[in-house]
Amino acid sequence: MSDQFNFKVDIERGFESPQKFIPSKYFYDAAGDRIFQQIMELPEYYLTRSEAEIFEKKGGSIVDALPFKEAFEVVELGAGDGSKTKTLLQEMLRREMDFVYRPMDISRDVLGQLKAHMLEDLPTLSIDVLAGDYFHILPSLKVDPHPKLFLFLGSNIGNFQPAEAEAFIQMIANSMNSGDLLLVGMDLQKNPALIEQAYNDKAGVTADFNLNLLKRMNRELGANFNLDAFEFYSHYDPVRGFVNSYLVSLEKQIVYFSAMDKSFLFRKNELIHTELSRKFSGEQIDRLAFRTGFYVRKEFKDEKEYFVDSLWEK
Ligand code: AVI
């Protein structure tokens, strides 16, 4: 099934639902990737810097916490440009540990770039990419006898609805053997004002990130969205730890999609949900680990305690 087909079906499903939504994975076309890079540089978006600080200052302690006595594998889900991981891999190489780095991604292109980029800085790294979707690759890893450290960083887990997050972690757990480890990066609950600003930056980059979804539908699904007729809105609920992001229709409008020869009505002030970005409490982290069959071995936080990389053992 082509990606284009999925996009069409997902948009149809999202726009036919009572609360319209667009799955957040569609943010990441080429333009969306570029805008996300800009988000990570924003003064308000502390997440990337906080996690980078953890790897820089506590990378040694993370490596100390690994119990592996023999050759092992580092399997990374959603590796991105691998810049944070590089700090950790560098530390492992410095200690002459025997391991293979296996980044996983749906796109061979992304993996090719990541590999070239990693080898430029870490020429002695053993790297073996895993191209394909998680559902196919993860189960195949269980039969590989090497102990493994799985990485799921960047608070990507926060973009899942709670039940989906649990199911996803459970799927990782099912592909792990007893003694394997999972390092999960999670954004922590903190002063709500800071979180609100991180998802509603002054320069409007996060707004562009959301509006790019409309551009993508115009281009790829032959839609005729007027970008000036929608506005970005995000809201943080500190009680649940949920940032919800939306596009707001500024007027009553009908948008036509040539890809499915269908039109959708958007009422004035109607919301399209685009993303959930969860912020976790310590209790929620413990519960998620427990319910998916892990125990929390150790936690690594930045100095301000904005972010945690939590090391779980199966
Ligand atoms: C990729 N993900 C963890 C980001 C987040 O913080 O939820 C995506 C993002 N959305 C708006 N800003 C950044």
Side-chain angles (χ1 to χ4, degrees):
M1 218 175 351
S2 78
D3 282 357
Q4 219 53 15
F5 180 78
N6 286 328
F7 189 27
K8 195 166 79 173
V9 169
D10 286 346
I11 293 300
E12 243 176 318
R13 197 167 64 91
F15 286 174
E16 277 164 6
S17 120
Q19 167 59 71
K20 290 190 175 67
F21 69 93
I22 302 172
S24 58
K25 65 178 176 185
Y26 292 112
F27 277 130
Y28 305 96
D29 63 352
D33 282 344
R34 276 195 301 274
I35 306 174
F36 185 56
Q37 291 292 329
Q38 291 171 23
I39 289 180
M40 291 192 288
E41 305 275 314
L42 287 170
E44 295 97 331
Y45 194 77
Y46 58 83
L47 285 81
T48 313
R49 279 185 299 277
S50 301
E51 195 173 35
E53 182 198 310
I54 297 174
F55 281 84
E56 271 153 35
K57 297 205 176 138
K58 307 221 166 134
S61 315
I62 297 175
V63 176
D64 285 342
L66 305 180
F68 307 138
K69 299 274 175 285
E70 47 190 301
F72 63 96
E73 293 180 358
V74 179
V75 178
E76 180 159 25
L77 287 80
D81 69 353
S83 49
K84 281 180 296 261
T85 323
K86 197 184 285 174
T87 318
L88 204 63
L89 300 174
Q90 206 157 20
E91 181 62 24
M92 292 174 185
L93 290 173
R94 201 183 62 75
R95 297 185 190 197
E96 299 184 352
M97 294 170 113
D98 185 3
F99 71 97
V100 179
Y101 173 52
R102 309 190 77 188
M104 200 188 292
D105 200 283
I106 191 95
S107 154
R108 272 203 186 274
D109 284 355
V110 166
L111 288 170
Q113 284 165 23
L114 174 67
K115 183 171 176 174
H117 178 73
M118 280 287 182
L119 288 176
E120 242 170 61
D121 292 342
L122 308 175
T124 58
L125 181 71
S126 300
I127 173 166
D128 177 20
V129 302
L130 295 163
D133 70 65
Y134 296 152
F135 302 95
H136 287 102
I137 297 180
L138 281 171
S140 73
L141 295 174
K142 199 176 167 84
V143 289
D144 176 305
H146 295 99
K148 290 181 193 65
L149 167 66
F150 287 76
L151 304 175
F152 193 46
L153 307 175
S155 206
N156 287 327
I157 192 67
N159 296 130
F160 290 92
Q161 294 293 335
E164 287 171 9
E166 207 173 298
F168 187 73
I169 299 273
Q170 190 66 64
M171 181 175 72
I172 303 177
N174 292 344
S175 70
M176 292 169 76
N177 293 305
S178 158
D180 284 350
L181 299 169
L182 170 62
L183 187 68
V184 203
M186 278 171 285
D187 195 20
L188 294 169
Q189 292 180 8
K190 60 185 68 61
N191 185 335
L194 284 170
I195 295 176
E196 261 167 18
Q197 287 158 21
Y199 290 88
N200 193 9
D201 61 287
K202 284 215 184 78
V205 181
T206 311
D208 284 348
F209 188 53
N210 280 262
L211 288 163
N212 181 54
L213 288 166
L214 304 181
K215 284 192 199 162
R216 182 171 183 180
M217 289 185 280
N218 283 353
R219 196 179 53 244
E220 296 183 23
L221 302 178
N224 62 351
F225 279 103
N226 168 10
L227 268 65
D228 294 329
F230 286 86
E231 208 170 74
F232 166 66
Y233 171 74
S234 71
H235 171 257
Y236 179 52
D237 171 357
V239 176
R240 300 186 77 191
F242 283 15
V243 177
N244 279 300
S245 297
Y246 303 92
L247 287 162
V248 187
S249 174
L250 298 179
E251 56 198 50
K252 181 178 173 185
Q253 50 189 319
I254 291 169
V255 177
Y256 175 71
F257 284 71
S258 66
M260 45 269 208
D261 191 20
K262 242 185 198 177
S263 297
F264 295 95
L265 170 73
F266 296 85
R267 283 174 281 109
K268 184 172 176 164
N269 298 324
E270 184 171 358
L271 301 171
I272 307 173
H273 185 262
T274 56
E275 186 175 43
L276 166 67
S277 300
R278 273 176 84 192
K279 311 296 151 197
F280 294 86
S281 68
E283 211 185 5
Q284 287 169 341
I285 294 173
D286 290 346
R287 201 178 320 129
L288 182 58
F290 177 76
R291 287 174 60 95
T292 49
F294 288 99
Y295 90 90
V296 179
R297 193 178 168 102
K298 215 162 175 186
E299 306 225 278
F300 304 91
K301 293 183 186 164
D302 57 307
E303 214 150 285
K304 291 182 179 145
E305 306 206 331
Y306 283 179
F307 200 95
V308 66
D309 282 293
S310 192
L311 186 63
W312 299 359
E313 181 167 346
K314 185 171 163 176

